[in-house]
Amino acid sequence: MSQYAVVNPATGEVVEEFPTATDEQITDALARSHNAYATWSTTPVEERTAILSKVAQIYSDRAEELAEIIKLEMGKAVPEGKGEVALSSMIYQYFADNAAEFISEEKLKGPKDGEAYLLRKPVGSLLGIMPWNFPYYQVARFAAPNLALGNTIILKHAPQCPRSAQVMEEIFAEAGLPADAYINVYATNEQVADIILPDPRNQGVSLTGSERAGSAVAAEAGKNLKKVVLELGGSDPYVVLDSEDVAATAKTLFQARMGNTGQACNSPKRMIVMDDIYDEFVEKITESAKKFTPADPLAEDSQLSPLSSKAAQERFMEQVEATVADGATLLAGGKAYEGEGSFVEPVVLTDVQKGKRGYYEELFGPAFMIFRVSSDEEAVELANDTPFGLGSAVFSKDMSRAEKVAEQLQAGMVFVNGPEQSREYLPFGGVKRSGVGRELGPLAMDEFCNKQLYYKNS
């Protein structure tokens, strides 16, 4: 089977295969992207953003079709797929609407014998390495701001998302993007390391993926003096200090964790709950977990979609089993469903032991790890005791109490009295081993940008 293939995770069926690029095709893509930059970077921003606006409309018009594609590629339920397509459309429209303002010249205070300005200019051809869990959204986060700025893009998608990768390139062409300003390549990891990153025509790389992948790409980029943006793993804490309605709070957090079958970097992977409401909270989460059963992700009432692949299923189950073997209490789930599909039962774990694998690793699937604490100080200490620092949330009916805890969290994103959100206008990114750089919002266009000083003497 080809490295790039659509394998339906609900059935294990190989639906379609795509040929991996040759070294010559990769070298050709670098030349084409570099040459396209000369024209695209000098295209007026109004023309660039008009094309992004058309991209946004095409996503909206083709939502059903696009959702069907990723259902087959990585098992996302069609209603969730439509939601991802809608968010992607909003991202393209956001940068279409705001790019001109974001790159407008900024006059600097200070000079007495002249004028100083900060100009924001593109840098060249960029490489994007994107994951399978949000095939359209992850690409939009990278592509929209950089195309608006005037950079050109070579995109290497996850091997299990070749059809959506191809369709995105087709949508850009349909919207009027000049040839070679965005190029999809079915590249190998070796071609990235040996051909693309060492090439001087490449000016940087953005990767969303695992710690291991991020570390490997960052090492190669650093060796070649290339700028990187990395959005890596997360073990996001949700701290529940108190609640007027514990069942409602548990439902909110349950739904947040089950989004995309738990396969999201900024999913609430650790629930830290105050002692006086802990038992009721655990009971409600466990009840909800036991109700979920597998379903065709096509169904509008789909409850439980498969994990993205058999490999993902096997890794998730191995992590759960190791965590239980290390002393955790298993209250629900713990089994993979039989058959060719990659379904797993939602898992509820308590008493996860500090210093053990499950305590520090990211469980990428429908797993609820719930911790009991007896003070705000203990909650903060536990929340920050992780190598990750992507997102977080704090819940309390006392806003001042919630804010005091939130201010102490070591994370790139903090939400109070609501689950984390991914929105086109909210900067997305983390600290510690969750990565470097920011995507979305007004910060996104500053990452691969020449922030050029322009000084004029009087």
Side-chain angles (χ1 to χ4, degrees), residues 302-347:
S302 175
Q303 281 190 310
L304 182 64
S305 296
L307 294 186
S308 63
S309 65
K310 270 293 182 183
Q313 180 197 57
E314 290 167 3
R315 172 161 174 75
F316 176 76
M317 293 310 305
E318 190 272 332
Q319 287 180 300
V320 170
E321 290 163 5
T323 302
V324 173
D326 282 339
T329 300
L330 180 69
L331 298 180
K335 291 189 292 185
Y337 286 91
E338 295 181 359
E340 296 301 318
S342 53
F343 293 94
V344 298
E345 295 176 328
V347 171

mmCIF file of all heavy atoms in Angstrom, residues 302-347:
data_model
loop_
_atom_site.group_PDB
_atom_site.id
_atom_site.type_symbol
_atom_site.label_atom_id
_atom_site.label_comp_id
_atom_site.label_asym_id
_atom_site.label_seq_id
_atom_site.Cartn_x
_atom_site.Cartn_y
_atom_site.Cartn_z
ATOM 1 N N SER A 302 -24.610 10.331 15.257
ATOM 2 C CA SER A 302 -23.446 9.527 15.619
ATOM 3 C C SER A 302 -22.972 9.860 17.022
ATOM 4 O O SER A 302 -22.780 11.008 17.380
ATOM 5 C CB SER A 302 -22.305 9.777 14.625
ATOM 6 O OG SER A 302 -21.142 9.099 15.031
ATOM 7 N N GLN A 303 -22.792 8.840 17.845
ATOM 8 C CA GLN A 303 -22.329 9.033 19.211
ATOM 9 C C GLN A 303 -20.819 8.897 19.319
ATOM 10 O O GLN A 303 -20.153 9.744 19.905
ATOM 11 C CB GLN A 303 -22.990 7.997 20.135
ATOM 12 C CG GLN A 303 -24.410 8.338 20.537
ATOM 13 C CD GLN A 303 -24.884 7.404 21.635
ATOM 14 O OE1 GLN A 303 -24.766 6.191 21.538
ATOM 15 N NE2 GLN A 303 -25.429 7.963 22.690
ATOM 16 N N LEU A 304 -20.294 7.820 18.777
ATOM 17 C CA LEU A 304 -18.880 7.528 18.972
ATOM 18 C C LEU A 304 -18.248 7.174 17.633
ATOM 19 O O LEU A 304 -18.511 6.124 17.064
ATOM 20 C CB LEU A 304 -18.700 6.356 19.943
ATOM 21 C CG LEU A 304 -17.254 5.980 20.277
ATOM 22 C CD1 LEU A 304 -16.565 7.121 21.007
ATOM 23 C CD2 LEU A 304 -17.215 4.713 21.118
ATOM 24 N N SER A 305 -17.418 8.061 17.135
ATOM 25 C CA SER A 305 -16.695 7.800 15.898
ATOM 26 C C SER A 305 -15.428 7.013 16.208
ATOM 27 O O SER A 305 -14.955 6.997 17.342
ATOM 28 C CB SER A 305 -16.342 9.131 15.219
ATOM 29 O OG SER A 305 -17.512 9.826 14.830
ATOM 30 N N PRO A 306 -14.833 6.391 15.184
ATOM 31 C CA PRO A 306 -13.604 5.645 15.423
ATOM 32 C C PRO A 306 -12.423 6.583 15.643
ATOM 33 O O PRO A 306 -12.470 7.756 15.273
ATOM 34 C CB PRO A 306 -13.425 4.850 14.123
ATOM 35 C CG PRO A 306 -14.095 5.698 13.085
ATOM 36 C CD PRO A 306 -15.280 6.311 13.779
ATOM 37 N N LEU A 307 -11.365 6.051 16.251
ATOM 38 C CA LEU A 307 -10.106 6.773 16.211
ATOM 39 C C LEU A 307 -9.610 6.774 14.762
ATOM 40 O O LEU A 307 -10.135 6.083 13.904
ATOM 41 C CB LEU A 307 -9.087 6.124 17.142
ATOM 42 C CG LEU A 307 -9.410 6.186 18.647
ATOM 43 C CD1 LEU A 307 -8.249 5.632 19.467
ATOM 44 C CD2 LEU A 307 -9.731 7.606 19.089
ATOM 45 N N SER A 308 -8.581 7.556 14.507
ATOM 46 C CA SER A 308 -8.203 7.842 13.123
ATOM 47 C C SER A 308 -7.652 6.640 12.376
ATOM 48 O O SER A 308 -7.670 6.610 11.147
ATOM 49 C CB SER A 308 -7.170 8.965 13.098
ATOM 50 O OG SER A 308 -5.994 8.558 13.771
ATOM 51 N N SER A 309 -7.137 5.647 13.096
ATOM 52 C CA SER A 309 -6.515 4.507 12.431
ATOM 53 C C SER A 309 -6.348 3.368 13.429
ATOM 54 O O SER A 309 -6.483 3.554 14.645
ATOM 55 C CB SER A 309 -5.144 4.893 11.880
ATOM 56 O OG SER A 309 -4.258 5.215 12.940
ATOM 57 N N LYS A 310 -6.010 2.190 12.913
ATOM 58 C CA LYS A 310 -5.705 1.061 13.785
ATOM 59 C C LYS A 310 -4.484 1.357 14.653
ATOM 60 O O LYS A 310 -4.423 0.973 15.823
ATOM 61 C CB LYS A 310 -5.456 -0.198 12.949
ATOM 62 C CG LYS A 310 -6.696 -1.024 12.672
ATOM 63 C CD LYS A 310 -7.236 -1.637 13.966
ATOM 64 C CE LYS A 310 -8.455 -2.505 13.698
ATOM 65 N NZ LYS A 310 -9.005 -3.043 14.966
ATOM 66 N N ALA A 311 -3.507 2.035 14.070
ATOM 67 C CA ALA A 311 -2.310 2.384 14.841
ATOM 68 C C ALA A 311 -2.664 3.299 15.998
ATOM 69 O O ALA A 311 -2.144 3.151 17.115
ATOM 70 C CB ALA A 311 -1.277 3.040 13.939
ATOM 71 N N ALA A 312 -3.575 4.266 15.763
ATOM 72 C CA ALA A 312 -4.002 5.163 16.831
ATOM 73 C C ALA A 312 -4.747 4.397 17.910
ATOM 74 O O ALA A 312 -4.586 4.655 19.112
ATOM 75 C CB ALA A 312 -4.878 6.280 16.254
ATOM 76 N N GLN A 313 -5.582 3.454 17.495
ATOM 77 C CA GLN A 313 -6.313 2.623 18.447
ATOM 78 C C GLN A 313 -5.357 1.824 19.325
ATOM 79 O O GLN A 313 -5.494 1.777 20.560
ATOM 80 C CB GLN A 313 -7.244 1.671 17.693
ATOM 81 C CG GLN A 313 -8.063 0.757 18.585
ATOM 82 C CD GLN A 313 -8.648 -0.419 17.802
ATOM 83 O OE1 GLN A 313 -7.911 -1.181 17.177
ATOM 84 N NE2 GLN A 313 -9.971 -0.537 17.830
ATOM 85 N N GLU A 314 -4.363 1.219 18.704
ATOM 86 C CA GLU A 314 -3.420 0.390 19.444
ATOM 87 C C GLU A 314 -2.592 1.214 20.425
ATOM 88 O O GLU A 314 -2.361 0.790 21.566
ATOM 89 C CB GLU A 314 -2.516 -0.350 18.461
ATOM 90 C CG GLU A 314 -3.257 -1.433 17.667
ATOM 91 C CD GLU A 314 -2.462 -1.944 16.486
ATOM 92 O OE1 GLU A 314 -1.289 -1.497 16.320
ATOM 93 O OE2 GLU A 314 -3.001 -2.773 15.727
ATOM 94 N N ARG A 315 -2.148 2.396 20.008
ATOM 95 C CA ARG A 315 -1.354 3.234 20.906
ATOM 96 C C ARG A 315 -2.207 3.706 22.080
ATOM 97 O O ARG A 315 -1.767 3.707 23.228
ATOM 98 C CB ARG A 315 -0.763 4.430 20.164
ATOM 99 C CG ARG A 315 -0.092 5.423 21.119
ATOM 100 C CD ARG A 315 0.877 6.345 20.449
ATOM 101 N NE ARG A 315 1.376 7.357 21.363
ATOM 102 C CZ ARG A 315 2.268 7.154 22.315
ATOM 103 N NH1 ARG A 315 2.782 5.945 22.496
ATOM 104 N NH2 ARG A 315 2.663 8.141 23.093
ATOM 105 N N PHE A 316 -3.435 4.115 21.809
ATOM 106 C CA PHE A 316 -4.313 4.597 22.869
ATOM 107 C C PHE A 316 -4.556 3.500 23.894
ATOM 108 O O PHE A 316 -4.449 3.724 25.108
ATOM 109 C CB PHE A 316 -5.631 5.081 22.267
ATOM 110 C CG PHE A 316 -6.650 5.520 23.292
ATOM 111 C CD1 PHE A 316 -6.527 6.738 23.937
ATOM 112 C CD2 PHE A 316 -7.736 4.710 23.599
ATOM 113 C CE1 PHE A 316 -7.465 7.143 24.872
ATOM 114 C CE2 PHE A 316 -8.674 5.107 24.530
ATOM 115 C CZ PHE A 316 -8.532 6.332 25.171
ATOM 116 N N MET A 317 -4.868 2.310 23.424
ATOM 117 C CA MET A 317 -5.147 1.215 24.349
ATOM 118 C C MET A 317 -3.905 0.839 25.153
ATOM 119 O O MET A 317 -3.996 0.522 26.344
ATOM 120 C CB MET A 317 -5.667 -0.001 23.588
ATOM 121 C CG MET A 317 -7.039 0.195 22.944
ATOM 122 S SD MET A 317 -8.279 0.859 24.089
ATOM 123 C CE MET A 317 -8.194 -0.323 25.426
ATOM 124 N N GLU A 318 -2.744 0.892 24.526
ATOM 125 C CA GLU A 318 -1.505 0.586 25.246
ATOM 126 C C GLU A 318 -1.265 1.611 26.348
ATOM 127 O O GLU A 318 -0.845 1.251 27.461
ATOM 128 C CB GLU A 318 -0.334 0.569 24.259
ATOM 129 C CG GLU A 318 0.969 0.040 24.838
ATOM 130 C CD GLU A 318 1.807 1.122 25.503
ATOM 131 O OE1 GLU A 318 1.694 2.290 25.081
ATOM 132 O OE2 GLU A 318 2.559 0.814 26.449
ATOM 133 N N GLN A 319 -1.546 2.875 26.088
ATOM 134 C CA GLN A 319 -1.372 3.911 27.095
ATOM 135 C C GLN A 319 -2.343 3.712 28.260
ATOM 136 O O GLN A 319 -1.964 3.849 29.429
ATOM 137 C CB GLN A 319 -1.590 5.295 26.484
ATOM 138 C CG GLN A 319 -0.476 5.776 25.581
ATOM 139 C CD GLN A 319 -0.782 7.150 25.019
ATOM 140 O OE1 GLN A 319 -1.778 7.341 24.327
ATOM 141 N NE2 GLN A 319 0.057 8.122 25.320
ATOM 142 N N VAL A 320 -3.590 3.407 27.943
ATOM 143 C CA VAL A 320 -4.595 3.191 28.993
ATOM 144 C C VAL A 320 -4.202 1.995 29.854
ATOM 145 O O VAL A 320 -4.238 2.059 31.096
ATOM 146 C CB VAL A 320 -5.990 2.984 28.371
ATOM 147 C CG1 VAL A 320 -6.987 2.525 29.434
ATOM 148 C CG2 VAL A 320 -6.478 4.271 27.707
ATOM 149 N N GLU A 321 -3.836 0.911 29.222
ATOM 150 C CA GLU A 321 -3.467 -0.296 29.970
ATOM 151 C C GLU A 321 -2.243 -0.050 30.846
ATOM 152 O O GLU A 321 -2.176 -0.534 31.987
ATOM 153 C CB GLU A 321 -3.219 -1.446 28.990
ATOM 154 C CG GLU A 321 -4.506 -1.940 28.321
ATOM 155 C CD GLU A 321 -4.256 -2.774 27.085
ATOM 156 O OE1 GLU A 321 -3.064 -3.056 26.794
ATOM 157 O OE2 GLU A 321 -5.229 -3.136 26.402
ATOM 158 N N ALA A 322 -1.263 0.699 30.344
ATOM 159 C CA ALA A 322 -0.071 1.002 31.134
ATOM 160 C C ALA A 322 -0.415 1.891 32.320
ATOM 161 O O ALA A 322 0.132 1.719 33.421
ATOM 162 C CB ALA A 322 0.973 1.679 30.250
ATOM 163 N N THR A 323 -1.328 2.825 32.131
ATOM 164 C CA THR A 323 -1.734 3.721 33.210
ATOM 165 C C THR A 323 -2.435 2.939 34.326
ATOM 166 O O THR A 323 -2.196 3.176 35.512
ATOM 167 C CB THR A 323 -2.652 4.837 32.670
ATOM 168 O OG1 THR A 323 -1.954 5.543 31.640
ATOM 169 C CG2 THR A 323 -3.038 5.813 33.765
ATOM 170 N N VAL A 324 -3.288 2.001 33.948
ATOM 171 C CA VAL A 324 -3.973 1.163 34.933
ATOM 172 C C VAL A 324 -2.960 0.261 35.641
ATOM 173 O O VAL A 324 -3.008 0.082 36.869
ATOM 174 C CB VAL A 324 -5.089 0.337 34.266
ATOM 175 C CG1 VAL A 324 -5.689 -0.658 35.253
ATOM 176 C CG2 VAL A 324 -6.173 1.260 33.706
ATOM 177 N N ALA A 325 -2.032 -0.292 34.887
ATOM 178 C CA ALA A 325 -1.006 -1.147 35.489
ATOM 179 C C ALA A 325 -0.142 -0.379 36.485
ATOM 180 O O ALA A 325 0.373 -0.964 37.450
ATOM 181 C CB ALA A 325 -0.134 -1.750 34.391
ATOM 182 N N ASP A 326 -0.026 0.924 36.272
ATOM 183 C CA ASP A 326 0.762 1.771 37.166
ATOM 184 C C ASP A 326 -0.035 2.246 38.390
ATOM 185 O O ASP A 326 0.462 3.070 39.160
ATOM 186 C CB ASP A 326 1.289 2.991 36.413
ATOM 187 C CG ASP A 326 2.495 2.655 35.547
ATOM 188 O OD1 ASP A 326 3.156 1.641 35.817
ATOM 189 O OD2 ASP A 326 2.782 3.430 34.605
ATOM 190 N N GLY A 327 -1.269 1.758 38.548
ATOM 191 C CA GLY A 327 -2.015 2.056 39.765
ATOM 192 C C GLY A 327 -3.273 2.869 39.616
ATOM 193 O O GLY A 327 -3.983 3.110 40.598
ATOM 194 N N ALA A 328 -3.599 3.310 38.391
ATOM 195 C CA ALA A 328 -4.823 4.093 38.204
ATOM 196 C C ALA A 328 -6.056 3.204 38.343
ATOM 197 O O ALA A 328 -6.005 1.991 38.116
ATOM 198 C CB ALA A 328 -4.813 4.764 36.837
ATOM 199 N N THR A 329 -7.176 3.819 38.705
ATOM 200 C CA THR A 329 -8.456 3.116 38.816
ATOM 201 C C THR A 329 -9.258 3.337 37.541
ATOM 202 O O THR A 329 -9.471 4.481 37.118
ATOM 203 C CB THR A 329 -9.257 3.635 40.019
ATOM 204 O OG1 THR A 329 -8.501 3.423 41.209
ATOM 205 C CG2 THR A 329 -10.591 2.910 40.130
ATOM 206 N N LEU A 330 -9.698 2.254 36.921
ATOM 207 C CA LEU A 330 -10.480 2.313 35.690
ATOM 208 C C LEU A 330 -11.955 2.213 36.043
ATOM 209 O O LEU A 330 -12.419 1.190 36.538
ATOM 210 C CB LEU A 330 -10.075 1.169 34.755
ATOM 211 C CG LEU A 330 -10.790 1.083 33.412
ATOM 212 C CD1 LEU A 330 -10.391 2.238 32.517
ATOM 213 C CD2 LEU A 330 -10.470 -0.260 32.726
ATOM 214 N N LEU A 331 -12.717 3.276 35.780
ATOM 215 C CA LEU A 331 -14.145 3.318 36.120
ATOM 216 C C LEU A 331 -15.049 3.055 34.930
ATOM 217 O O LEU A 331 -16.221 2.707 35.100
ATOM 218 C CB LEU A 331 -14.498 4.676 36.735
ATOM 219 C CG LEU A 331 -13.787 5.025 38.047
ATOM 220 C CD1 LEU A 331 -14.235 6.395 38.526
ATOM 221 C CD2 LEU A 331 -14.086 3.970 39.117
ATOM 222 N N ALA A 332 -14.531 3.234 33.731
ATOM 223 C CA ALA A 332 -15.327 2.983 32.526
ATOM 224 C C ALA A 332 -14.385 2.713 31.378
ATOM 225 O O ALA A 332 -13.245 3.179 31.357
ATOM 226 C CB ALA A 332 -16.228 4.176 32.200
ATOM 227 N N GLY A 333 -14.855 1.924 30.399
ATOM 228 C CA GLY A 333 -14.088 1.667 29.200
ATOM 229 C C GLY A 333 -12.945 0.705 29.432
ATOM 230 O O GLY A 333 -12.986 -0.155 30.303
ATOM 231 N N GLY A 334 -11.928 0.840 28.611
ATOM 232 C CA GLY A 334 -10.757 -0.010 28.747
ATOM 233 C C GLY A 334 -10.639 -1.078 27.687
ATOM 234 O O GLY A 334 -9.724 -1.894 27.727
ATOM 235 N N LYS A 335 -11.564 -1.063 26.714
ATOM 236 C CA LYS A 335 -11.510 -2.092 25.670
ATOM 237 C C LYS A 335 -11.620 -1.451 24.288
ATOM 238 O O LYS A 335 -12.272 -0.422 24.108
ATOM 239 C CB LYS A 335 -12.639 -3.102 25.847
ATOM 240 C CG LYS A 335 -12.493 -3.997 27.077
ATOM 241 C CD LYS A 335 -13.530 -5.106 27.072
ATOM 242 C CE LYS A 335 -14.934 -4.564 27.265
ATOM 243 N NZ LYS A 335 -15.949 -5.633 27.378
ATOM 244 N N ALA A 336 -10.993 -2.084 23.323
ATOM 245 C CA ALA A 336 -11.173 -1.725 21.922
ATOM 246 C C ALA A 336 -12.248 -2.640 21.340
ATOM 247 O O ALA A 336 -12.337 -3.816 21.705
ATOM 248 C CB ALA A 336 -9.872 -1.898 21.156
ATOM 249 N N TYR A 337 -13.075 -2.106 20.473
ATOM 250 C CA TYR A 337 -14.109 -2.927 19.850
ATOM 251 C C TYR A 337 -13.490 -3.859 18.814
ATOM 252 O O TYR A 337 -12.532 -3.501 18.125
ATOM 253 C CB TYR A 337 -15.168 -2.039 19.190
ATOM 254 C CG TYR A 337 -16.082 -1.360 20.186
ATOM 255 C CD1 TYR A 337 -15.772 -0.104 20.688
ATOM 256 C CD2 TYR A 337 -17.240 -1.988 20.630
ATOM 257 C CE1 TYR A 337 -16.601 0.534 21.609
ATOM 258 C CE2 TYR A 337 -18.074 -1.373 21.549
ATOM 259 C CZ TYR A 337 -17.748 -0.113 22.033
ATOM 260 O OH TYR A 337 -18.565 0.498 22.937
ATOM 261 N N GLU A 338 -14.041 -5.039 18.713
ATOM 262 C CA GLU A 338 -13.547 -6.014 17.754
ATOM 263 C C GLU A 338 -13.925 -5.596 16.340
ATOM 264 O O GLU A 338 -14.854 -4.835 16.119
ATOM 265 C CB GLU A 338 -14.115 -7.396 18.066
ATOM 266 C CG GLU A 338 -13.652 -7.963 19.410
ATOM 267 C CD GLU A 338 -14.216 -9.350 19.672
ATOM 268 O OE1 GLU A 338 -14.970 -9.841 18.801
ATOM 269 O OE2 GLU A 338 -13.914 -9.930 20.733
ATOM 270 N N GLY A 339 -13.184 -6.126 15.378
ATOM 271 C CA GLY A 339 -13.471 -5.817 13.984
ATOM 272 C C GLY A 339 -12.369 -4.983 13.357
ATOM 273 O O GLY A 339 -11.365 -4.647 13.985
ATOM 274 N N GLU A 340 -12.563 -4.661 12.095
ATOM 275 C CA GLU A 340 -11.548 -3.933 11.337
ATOM 276 C C GLU A 340 -11.530 -2.442 11.655
ATOM 277 O O GLU A 340 -10.558 -1.755 11.363
ATOM 278 C CB GLU A 340 -11.794 -4.128 9.831
ATOM 279 C CG GLU A 340 -11.642 -5.571 9.376
ATOM 280 C CD GLU A 340 -10.258 -6.116 9.675
ATOM 281 O OE1 GLU A 340 -9.279 -5.391 9.465
ATOM 282 O OE2 GLU A 340 -10.168 -7.280 10.139
ATOM 283 N N GLY A 341 -12.619 -1.930 12.216
ATOM 284 C CA GLY A 341 -12.653 -0.508 12.561
ATOM 285 C C GLY A 341 -11.790 -0.213 13.778
ATOM 286 O O GLY A 341 -11.363 -1.114 14.502
ATOM 287 N N SER A 342 -11.557 1.077 14.028
ATOM 288 C CA SER A 342 -10.670 1.482 15.135
ATOM 289 C C SER A 342 -11.441 2.173 16.251
ATOM 290 O O SER A 342 -11.038 3.220 16.752
ATOM 291 C CB SER A 342 -9.544 2.380 14.608
ATOM 292 O OG SER A 342 -10.057 3.469 13.870
ATOM 293 N N PHE A 343 -12.560 1.579 16.644
ATOM 294 C CA PHE A 343 -13.374 2.117 17.734
ATOM 295 C C PHE A 343 -12.796 1.706 19.095
ATOM 296 O O PHE A 343 -12.271 0.605 19.258
ATOM 297 C CB PHE A 343 -14.811 1.582 17.646
ATOM 298 C CG PHE A 343 -15.577 2.069 16.457
ATOM 299 C CD1 PHE A 343 -15.623 1.320 15.285
ATOM 300 C CD2 PHE A 343 -16.265 3.272 16.496
ATOM 301 C CE1 PHE A 343 -16.344 1.763 14.186
ATOM 302 C CE2 PHE A 343 -16.998 3.719 15.404
ATOM 303 C CZ PHE A 343 -17.026 2.962 14.242
ATOM 304 N N VAL A 344 -12.926 2.604 20.077
ATOM 305 C CA VAL A 344 -12.563 2.288 21.459
ATOM 306 C C VAL A 344 -13.653 2.816 22.385
ATOM 307 O O VAL A 344 -14.366 3.759 22.056
ATOM 308 C CB VAL A 344 -11.207 2.914 21.867
ATOM 309 C CG1 VAL A 344 -10.082 2.369 21.009
ATOM 310 C CG2 VAL A 344 -11.251 4.434 21.794
ATOM 311 N N GLU A 345 -13.763 2.206 23.535
ATOM 312 C CA GLU A 345 -14.703 2.698 24.544
ATOM 313 C C GLU A 345 -14.141 3.954 25.203
ATOM 314 O O GLU A 345 -12.936 4.040 25.449
ATOM 315 C CB GLU A 345 -14.915 1.639 25.629
ATOM 316 C CG GLU A 345 -15.571 0.366 25.172
ATOM 317 C CD GLU A 345 -15.647 -0.664 26.288
ATOM 318 O OE1 GLU A 345 -14.748 -0.691 27.139
ATOM 319 O OE2 GLU A 345 -16.625 -1.444 26.299
ATOM 320 N N PRO A 346 -14.994 4.937 25.511
ATOM 321 C CA PRO A 346 -14.524 6.054 26.317
ATOM 322 C C PRO A 346 -14.027 5.556 27.672
ATOM 323 O O PRO A 346 -14.620 4.659 28.275
ATOM 324 C CB PRO A 346 -15.771 6.933 26.465
ATOM 325 C CG PRO A 346 -16.630 6.578 25.302
ATOM 326 C CD PRO A 346 -16.385 5.115 25.081
ATOM 327 N N VAL A 347 -12.932 6.117 28.141
ATOM 328 C CA VAL A 347 -12.236 5.653 29.335
ATOM 329 C C VAL A 347 -12.305 6.710 30.428
ATOM 330 O O VAL A 347 -12.080 7.895 30.168
ATOM 331 C CB VAL A 347 -10.760 5.343 29.000
ATOM 332 C CG1 VAL A 347 -9.955 5.077 30.262
ATOM 333 C CG2 VAL A 347 -10.672 4.153 28.050
#
